[in-house]
Amino acid sequence: MNLNSVSQILDFAIEKEEEAAQFYRDLAAKMGQQHVGEVFESFAREELEHKAKLIAVRQGNMTLIDSQRITDLKIGDHLVEIVLSPDLEYKQALIVAMKAEKAAFQLYQGLASSTDDANLKGILLTLAKEEARHKLRFEIEYEENFLREN
Amino acid sequence: MSDPEKKTLDLRRREMPKQPPEVRRYNFNEVALGYSAESAVEEAKRCIQCKKPLCIPNCPVEINIPAFIKSIAERDFIGAVRILKDKNCLPAVCGRVCPQEEQCEKTCVFHKKGGQIAIGRLERFLADWEAQQRELEMPEILPSSGRKVAIVGGGPAGLTVAGDLIKLGHKVTVFEALHRMGGVLIYGIPEFRLPKVIVTREVEYLRKLGVELVTDFVVGKTRSIDSILEEFDAVFVGSGAGLPWFMEIPGENLNGVYSANEYLTRLNLMKGFLFPKYHTPVKSHRRVAVVGGGNVAMDCARSALRLGAESRIIYRRSREELPARLEEVENAEEEGVIFDFLTLPLRYIGDENGWVKAIECQKMELGEPDASGRRKPIPIEGSEVIYPLDAVVCAIGNSPNPLIGATTPGLKIGKKGNIEADEKTGATSREKVWAGGDVVTGAATVILAMGAGRFAARSIHEYLSSL
Ligand SMILES: Cc1cc2nc3c(=O)[nH]c(=O)nc-3n(C[C@H](O)[C@H](O)[C@H](O)COP(=O)(O)OP(=O)(O)OC[C@H]3O[C@@H](n4cnc5c(N)ncnc54)[C@H](O)[C@@H]3O)c2cc1C
């Protein structure tokens, strides 16, 4: 893996988004319950949106904004790994997504800490933040649907 | 609006007697004892009969509340019962378990001053009075239409549809998976909050009206909806939300970790608390933790207490956010249930024989307000605590069982496993199939399930009349 320039990093990130989309599409195809399959399809579409955004950034049509601190609700942190079987439910689909986004966040964080180049570090941290934002989006959906404790 | 000037306002809600906490925490008898006729009349007289009552629009089934209260004030209890039953076929149930504080009583003109009329207590009084006084009045039943309707599930939604359609002359059969009718009213809500004789009485009333009640019949297994439709003209699905959620944290497979459903079913339906008279005892535990904060959690915690355990509620948010009815929270507190607010279970710890022996939790704090202004709980690092216990009841929520969706081609199912149905009619994506109650909304309330049943019954009747 060669990550010596901003454009190489962006290429890498674009590929990662495509891989994530493929991961969700594969899961969607395996689901026994159609509505859960649709949930994974929708996650795949979101990953493709992220990919499109990164392509726009690489082409210079957009800049990634390093916005304010992203809250970490840490909802997924203590949950068990979900065994990927055809009878998953929506709730478990969200856990899979929270954990995947967390892993992506950690990947960019790790990469950022392994470079001294301020420019590269900056873009990697921004990508990490993007993933943290995606994770937060799933955490909120999980909390609103499954942590009403009612 | 009313003209309060004309009367001296009486803002003193008449108290309803209850068993004292130190007594009731050791028995399963009903906690609240109900108004006497005198108290009911006194309470009813406080109502100022607003010209544009605000209580009615906040009742999901739009009971003419001021009218029945007026009849009570005039001691015309029979008249009051008729007004009540015109819109609500299960008043003895709703008078006990409806969240009136969030509905009719919340918009009472006296609410701001803390003296809202005790509408729920009056409703309960009337229903109980009727049950004591005489044979239930039999309604008029229209001549047979020759049409047949099957109802899946004998909970409040299904029973409401059954009651409405039988009166309109249709032949109605209810198929219930369990061995008793009543849904959550029988297997979920404990005896101390809703005595089972009340539910049985309502079910018997339907039987007398001619509804055929079939138990131990799992639609989707015993027979599919498509097969039922070969014999019936329409189907209503009111199968509830009986699939429990777990936290998905380590240790959930240990012995002694229950879902609220299992715990309450063992107690209520299998009469675990009457062991040895009944043969399905619940293991007696010394320390029970209940995870959750809704009515279900309160019911579990209070049941555990009555079975002799130290009982604690573990809830991720603060007291203000508890989704349970305030009355039930206060009852639980009075009885001695321990509350751990802003506390999140992280894992269950087992002993060498695979039984749960402790729970590890983390304390939470409320974070910055989000876009909607709400503050979400965030874990505080390093605040982990371990509580020893020998049972955990997980009461964090339920969704519909997937069986019917999986065995009914073309029936549209939403993300959370709920059947998608029109809010006003209960019509689903499948012709001749209607649905309502918790199976559509996810876990909600008795009155909403009944309201959905009523709408669906109307729509089914229109359809049957058009054939
Ligand atoms: C412990 C507890 C406490 C509650 N407290 C309150 C309260 O205080 N106030 C309030 O308003 N609400 C309360 N609720 C919620 C309320 O009970 C429900 O919203 C309501 O019962 C929903 O009615 P329903 O008819 O849709 O479903 P249910 O009552 O769940 O009935 C559905 C029925 O369908 C049957 N069934 C399921 N699948 C099949 C099948 N395949 N074939 C045949 N039959 C099937 C089930 O066995 C069940 O009997 C409480 C719920 C619980 C669990």
Side-chain angles (χ1 to χ4, degrees), chain A residues 35-53:
Chain A
H35 62 275
V36 184
E38 284 164 12
V39 167
F40 281 120
E41 291 282 1
S42 76
F43 292 174
R45 282 194 298 276
E46 283 183 41
E47 298 299 340
L48 292 181
E49 281 166 26
H50 302 159
K51 178 181 163 189
K53 186 170 160 186

Side-chain angles (χ1 to χ4, degrees), chain A residues 33 35 39 71-74 78-80 82 90-92 95 140-141 143-150, chain B residues 245-250 293-294 316-317 323 346 374 376 378-379 381 396 402 413-417:
Chain A
Q33 302 188 79
H35 62 275
V39 167
T71 313
D72 183 2
L73 295 178
K74 303 190 173 149
H78 296 284
L79 304 184
V80 289
I82 300 295
Y90 171 42
K91 181 170 186 270
Q92 293 157 329
I95 298 176
I140 290 175
E141 186 167 334
E143 127 125 1
E144 284 176 356
N145 284 292
F146 297 105
L147 291 176
R148 308 309 316 170
E149 287 111 345
N150 196 354
Chain B
W245 297 340
F246 282 94
M247 296 281 296
E248 314 279 356
I249 58 176
R316 216 167 60 93
R317 298 165 202 258
L346 298 181
R374 271 183 308 182
K376 294 206 185 299
I378 299 179
E381 293 303 327
I396 57 165
I413 305 293
K415 260 195 216 177
K416 291 170 86 172

Side-chain angles (χ1 to χ4, degrees), chain B residues 93-94 96-99 103 151-159 175-178 180-190 193 214 217-222 236-242 260-261 264 268 294-297 299-300 325 328 398 401 403-404 436-450:
Chain B
V93 174
C94 292
R96 286 171 166 81
V97 304
C98 254
Q103 300 173 359
I151 290 170
V152 183
L159 296 180
F175 296 103
E176 165 57 50
L178 296 173
R180 284 185 73 185
M181 291 282 161
V184 168
L185 308 182
I186 280 285
Y187 80 76
I189 305 180
R193 221 152 56 80
V214 182
F217 193 108
V218 183
V219 174
K221 270 218 171 96
T222 320
F236 173 81
V237 183
S239 49
N261 261 31
L264 291 172
N268 294 318
N295 288 321
V296 184
D299 285 345
C300 294
R325 297 189 61 198
E328 303 309 339
N398 292 300
N401 189 302
L403 181 62
I404 291 187
D438 280 6
V439 73
V440 170
T441 55
T445 61
V446 173
I447 192 81
L448 287 174
M450 286 175 51

Side-chain angles (χ1 to χ4, degrees), chain B residues 416-432:
Chain B
K416 291 170 86 172
N418 50 306
I419 297 182
E420 293 195 347
D422 186 285
E423 224 177 281
K424 291 266 151 44
T425 64
T428 68
S429 59
R430 274 292 305 267
E431 222 189 331
K432 302 184 192 174

Side-chain angles (χ1 to χ4, degrees), chain A residues 23 27 30-31 40 81-88 92-93 96:
Chain A
F23 169 69
L27 271 178
K30 288 194 190 112
M31 287 303 113
F40 281 120
E81 285 297 332
I82 300 295
V83 180
L84 300 177
S85 74
D87 48 346
L88 294 186
Q92 293 157 329
V96 170

